Structures are given as structure tokens and as C-alpha cells.
Amino acid sequence: MSKLDVRSPEHCAAKQPHNSPHHHRHSFINSSNFWKLLSSLFSAILAVILLVWLVLRPSKPSFSLQQASVYSLSLSDSAPAAASFLNSSVQLTFIASNPNSRLGIYYDSLRVYASYQGQQITGLASFPPFYQDHGEKNLLSASLTGSNLPVSPYFGSEVASDQVSGKLTVRFEVDGRVRYKVGTWVSGKYRMNVECITAMDFGRGLPTGPLTSQQGGLCSTKL
Ligand SMILES: *[C@@H]1O[C@H](CO)[C@@H](O)[C@H](O)[C@H]1NC(C)=O
């Protein structure tokens, strides 16, 4: 322990004026004024940015599923309680829209895959970067395939029990990076995650025909 730690607060307070020479104090006050000026300038700039942001009120891009179909889901035969391997083919069309009336959106990267019961059932499909103007909508279609994807040993029985109940619930996970454009100014990149859920009717069921979502699914966007 150093001596200083042992001293009482009063002792330190009493000693302080003696410890700091006058010219040091003086220059300290000057630099403190400088920092005060700089920080008020900084907060003024922040306030302007905040005001512009509030006026423009940026909204997250919104997504909806237009159609999704599962063309095939085939599991390798495996010993009970051993991992299975899945081949799959899924088609998907979704709509990305820019709800902002004054901001454009750059989609720098967008990737999508399908999952079922928390397991990825297709590989990733990626979309080329594009720009979306104020209030614009884009239709995005992807063909997702999986080949020899490892899935849990319960996958087959989960699909079988869904077949009994008549509905297969599939999720689509979209991730990407977006930038906002205001006039000529372009923001930094924001990471975006979208999750869409849709229930498909088994109907005649696989493998005779594709499973198709009846009405579009719900999507939520996290930015
Ligand atoms: C998946 O596809 C590969 C070839 O792409 C094939 O060798 C394998 O047997 C298939 N598995 C199933 C379960 O259909």
C-alpha cells in the first residue's frame, strides 16, 4: 500500500493547493475552456444530426413473403439416433420494400436460407447488391438447395409428425447490410436480420407435389 492510500480525505484536500503550482492551474483552466468549447460544438453538431434524423424518421426496410414452395426434402437412411443427411430444394419469392419517403436504401449484401425446427435445411443464396428508391418495392426470388446437410436424428420423425398435423412450418432467415441515402449523403452500414415464418399445407404431400405456402408469411426485420 502506498502512503497516499492511508491518508484521510481531509489530509489530501488540505494538501492540494500546495501540491499544484499556480501556472499549472492556470493552463489547466485554459485547456478546460477549450474542451468545453469543443464539447459544446460537438453536442451542437450531434443535436443537428439528431434533428435531421428525427425529421427524416428512417424506418427499417420491410419484408414479406410472397410465395414459398418446398419441392423436395429427402433424408438419407441412417441408423436410429445417428445424424441424417438431407437433400432439399426450396423456392422462395419475397418482397423487400422501402417504407421511407425521403430516404433511399442500398442493400449491399443479402443472403437467405431456409430452416426447419431450428435447423438449416438449405444452403445460402445471395442476391447482387441493389439500390431501392423512396417507397420502392422489389421482388426477390431465390432457389435454395441443400445437399448432404447434416440434420438431427429426430428430423425425420419431426417431419412425419408435421405431416400428420398437416402443416409444415418453415422459416427463412435473411441477413444483409444496408446503408441509407439522404440526398447525396450516404450513411454507414447497418447489419440487418430478417426472419420470415410460413406454414405450408401438406395436402397430397411430398414427394408427389411441392408444399406451397397458402398466404404469404410474416416477416420481422431487426436492424
Ligand atoms: C443427396 O444428393 C447426393 C448427390 O448430390 C446423393 O449422393 C445422395 O444420395 C443424396 N441423398 C439423398 C438422401 O437423397
Side-chain angles (χ1 to χ4, degrees):
M1 238 192 215
S2 74
K3 266 187 170 174
L4 220 111
D5 289 327
V6 190
R7 278 173 190 167
S8 70
E10 303 94 283
H11 189 102
C12 287
K15 253 206 135 184
Q16 215 164 17
H18 181 76
N19 266 354
S20 45
H22 193 70
H23 67 276
H24 262 177
R25 279 211 127 197
H26 189 70
S27 73
F28 178 71
I29 285 161
N30 274 349
S31 79
S32 123
N33 277 346
F34 171 74
W35 287 114
K36 266 183 196 157
L37 192 76
L38 199 73
S39 79
S40 58
L41 196 72
F42 190 65
S43 35
I45 291 170
L46 273 185
V48 168
I49 290 173
L50 189 70
L51 200 71
V52 168
W53 202 241
L54 284 176
V55 166
L56 294 171
R57 238 186 269 268
S59 300
K60 294 182 274 193
S62 84
F63 288 80
S64 59
L65 266 186
Q66 200 190 46
Q67 215 223 357
S69 304
V70 174
Y71 285 90
S72 74
L73 273 184
S74 56
L75 271 180
S76 62
D77 293 325
S78 65
S84 312
F85 294 91
L86 178 77
N87 286 355
S88 63
S89 165
V90 179
Q91 294 273 351
L92 148 88
T93 302
F94 61 100
I95 301 161
S97 44
N98 176 1
N100 296 287
S101 51
R102 297 185 190 90
L103 294 130
I105 300 173
Y106 285 104
Y107 295 84
D108 289 323
S109 69
L110 268 190
R111 298 185 309 174
V112 60
Y113 68 85
S115 72
Y116 169 75
Q117 302 276 9
Q119 300 181 70
Q120 188 168 343
I121 57 165
T122 66
L124 283 161
S126 48
F127 298 95
F130 63 98
Y131 173 72
Q132 200 170 50
D133 219 339
H134 317 161
E136 205 184 337
K137 281 181 186 195
N138 287 84
L139 215 59
L140 302 164
S141 289
S143 181
L144 304 165
T145 55
S147 124
N148 284 323
L149 287 175
V151 290
S152 93
Y154 310 107
F155 192 92
S157 57
E158 282 166 344
V159 174
S161 76
D162 276 358
Q163 192 152 16
V164 170
S165 72
K167 289 233 186 281
L168 184 87
T169 301
V170 178
R171 281 168 197 263
F172 294 96
E173 313 273 350
V174 184
D175 72 67
R177 281 170 196 273
V178 296
R179 287 174 296 156
Y180 286 108
K181 182 173 181 265
V182 189
T184 54
W185 179 80
V186 178
S187 77
K189 289 186 182 188
Y190 293 90
R191 186 192 286 261
M192 178 184 69
N193 280 95
V194 184
E195 192 181 70
C196 302
I197 302 172
T198 186
M200 299 177 184
D201 278 332
F202 259 98
R204 283 178 299 139
L206 293 169
T208 43
L211 303 185
T212 301
S213 61
Q214 295 305 302
Q215 63 276 350
L218 293 171
C219 298
S220 65
T221 306
K222 278 190 208 137
L223 205 66

